[in-house]
Amino acid sequence: MSISRLTIESFRNLSSAQLSPGDGLNLIYGANGSGKTSVLEAIYFLGMGRSFRSHITQRVIQREADQLTLFAQLQQEHPAQGSKVGFRKHRNGDTDVKIDGSRVKRLSVLAETLPIQVITPESFSLLFEGPQSRRQFIDWGTFHADANFYPAWVNVRRIMKQRNQLLRDGASYQQIQYWDNELVRYAEPVTEARKRYVDSLNERLKGIIEEFLPQVQLKISFTRGWDSKTDLNQLLEQQYLRDLGMGHTVSGPHKADLRLRVANLPAQDALSRGQLKLLVCALRIAQGRLLRQQTGKNSIYLVDDLPSELDAQHRQLLLKQLTDTGAQIFVTAIEPAAIVDCLHIAPSRVFHVEQGLVTQIEHTMRE
Ligand SMILES: Nc1ncnc2c1ncn2[C@@H]1O[C@H](COP(=O)(O)OP(=O)(O)OP(=O)(O)O)[C@@H](O)[C@H]1O
Ligand SMILES: [Mg+2]
């Protein structure tokens, strides 16, 4: 899947931009504050219905504008998949999403239509921050890999909300027991699907890690969110008083995580910043490759400020791995040479951004 036409209106400092990206690598360059990240953010918005920079979506609407509008014309692997995606968000929160002219209520449909992998200088949070970003990473892949996952996951979320509300209301265990039985029912398919996904991902990851981080002995394991030797129903009963005191459920599938260890240390303590960036890239590339193998779909890669933290050799390696996926890629850089000099093929398209204006430029590779 790739974007062949993209229109962005009133999105951050981009008043009105039209791009005709190429199938391969699209390079977006420009000075600080010109709007490069905003272009990637707009594409991400189309696929995910939210930003990767701000939790407050209203902030992405251009100052003084009432609404933002995004549109993408897609080239899909299967003709049955949507080919026109439109997104409009009003300052009052109203959102209008259309695929091929039909209104879409669930944002998950967007994710299915436009699978997106994003790598930003802040992607380190995948490794550093609490388990939420790692869990989102697992769930992104599991969502695409297993059609039964999403409905079960929606139920887990719903039940967990109910259970936590009851805990905050000081409910007795008898009142909560019904929800525990329900939770256990959906926790199993969610956990099994996640486990299967992480196993397949591990297989895919090995070769990429060997190239990116040849000396690194990386160990990745999935943790389900509660002690695997304990029956979840029993555990919820045992931990009822504790949960009541805390006002939320301490253990369960909502606490699933991915453990990344190098030489028996957490990866973030054992690797340099450049190596961590490569690890995050390896995880994303493995995920994209697996998606393609499992569903035939290509993800779109958004790589913000690709050159930062990486030496020329590793930039080269990363760009090669990315272009070898066969996916459409958008990379940003301040100086185009930082990318072009490390590419073994010419970029499909080059765009220059200046004060919110995006211009496609003719580009010839240096000899
Ligand atoms: N809601 C908004 N309305 C108008 N302008 C905005 C809004 N939000 C952010 N901006 C401005 O958009 C500009 C572009 O930001 P962006 O992060 O896309 O730049 P960039 O090219 O990625 O810069 P850098 O190289 O520093 O990463 C910034 O100057 C920012 O102040
Ligand atoms: Mg930026």
Side-chain angles (χ1 to χ4, degrees), residues 223-249:
T223 54
R224 59 178 65 206
W226 72 96
D227 178 7
S228 58
K229 288 180 218 85
T230 316
D231 173 76
L232 181 59
N233 222 335
Q234 268 177 10
L235 188 78
L236 290 168
E237 187 177 353
Q238 281 164 16
Q239 293 190 344
Y240 161 70
L241 284 177
R242 188 173 152 200
D243 288 353
L244 195 66
M246 306 277 283
H248 66 262
T249 311

Side-chain angles (χ1 to χ4, degrees), residues 85-158:
V85 181
F87 194 105
R88 181 166 288 155
K89 185 150 196 100
H90 201 272
R91 210 167 266 290
N92 68 11
D94 287 353
T95 308
D96 188 14
V97 185
K98 283 192 177 141
I99 297 182
D100 291 337
S102 308
R103 227 175 162 155
V104 169
K105 290 219 176 65
R106 282 186 299 121
L107 291 178
S108 62
V109 181
L110 270 186
E112 257 173 80
T113 311
L114 221 102
I116 287 182
Q117 294 286 351
V118 65
I119 302 166
T120 71
E122 293 75 38
S123 291
F124 293 116
S125 62
L126 177 63
L127 307 171
F128 287 133
E129 282 174 12
Q132 193 187 353
S133 50
R134 292 185 295 270
R135 195 161 48 245
Q136 274 174 358
F137 171 80
I138 304 173
D139 288 350
W140 185 98
T142 316
F143 166 82
H144 285 287
D146 188 334
N148 297 323
F149 171 75
Y150 185 67
W153 177 88
V154 168
N155 277 310
V156 164
R157 273 208 353 176
R158 177 182 58 82

Side-chain angles (χ1 to χ4, degrees), residues 32-80:
N32 290 136
S34 55
K36 304 178 297 295
T37 304
S38 303
V39 174
L40 301 194
E41 197 181 16
I43 299 172
Y44 186 86
F45 225 94
L46 265 174
M48 304 293 279
R50 61 182 163 86
S51 166
F52 57 73
R53 285 205 279 195
S54 173
H55 296 301
I56 305 161
T57 46
Q58 267 80 349
R59 289 215 181 132
V60 302
I61 301 173
Q62 188 162 43
R63 286 176 215 124
E64 278 138 44
D66 285 336
Q67 59 181 27
L68 67 83
T69 311
L70 304 168
F71 170 80
Q73 172 80 50
L74 309 178
Q75 305 291 317
Q76 295 278 16
E77 284 85 6
H78 306 291

Side-chain angles (χ1 to χ4, degrees), residues 289 319-327 329 344:
R289 285 182 188 269
L319 283 164
K320 181 159 189 327
Q321 284 280 352
L322 280 170
T323 46
D324 283 355
T325 59
I329 306 157
H344 62 294

Side-chain angles (χ1 to χ4, degrees), residues 229-335:
K229 288 180 218 85
T230 316
D231 173 76
L232 181 59
N233 222 335
Q234 268 177 10
L235 188 78
L236 290 168
E237 187 177 353
Q238 281 164 16
Q239 293 190 344
Y240 161 70
L241 284 177
R242 188 173 152 200
D243 288 353
L244 195 66
M246 306 277 283
H248 66 262
T249 311
V250 174
S251 307
H254 59 302
K255 290 290 172 75
D257 198 358
L258 195 64
R259 288 244 227 125
L260 300 141
R261 294 180 77 81
V262 174
N264 247 344
L265 286 170
Q268 64 266 34
D269 296 335
L271 299 178
S272 73
R273 284 190 63 88
Q275 286 176 317
L276 284 172
K277 176 160 177 168
L278 290 167
L279 174 55
V280 174
C281 294
L283 286 163
R284 296 278 176 208
I285 291 171
Q287 193 161 55
R289 285 182 188 269
L290 186 57
L291 176 80
R292 180 165 177 156
Q293 186 196 337
Q294 288 175 329
T295 67
K297 285 191 221 170
N298 255 329
S299 330
I300 291 182
Y301 283 89
L302 308 176
V303 192
D304 196 22
D305 199 3
L306 184 140
S308 71
E309 319 262 7
L310 300 180
D311 58 43
Q313 187 214 336
H314 285 102
R315 267 178 233 171
Q316 220 166 18
L317 208 63
L318 171 58
L319 283 164
K320 181 159 189 327
Q321 284 280 352
L322 280 170
T323 46
D324 283 355
T325 59
Q328 188 178 39
I329 306 157
F330 293 83
V331 303
T332 72
I334 293 166
E335 298 294 342

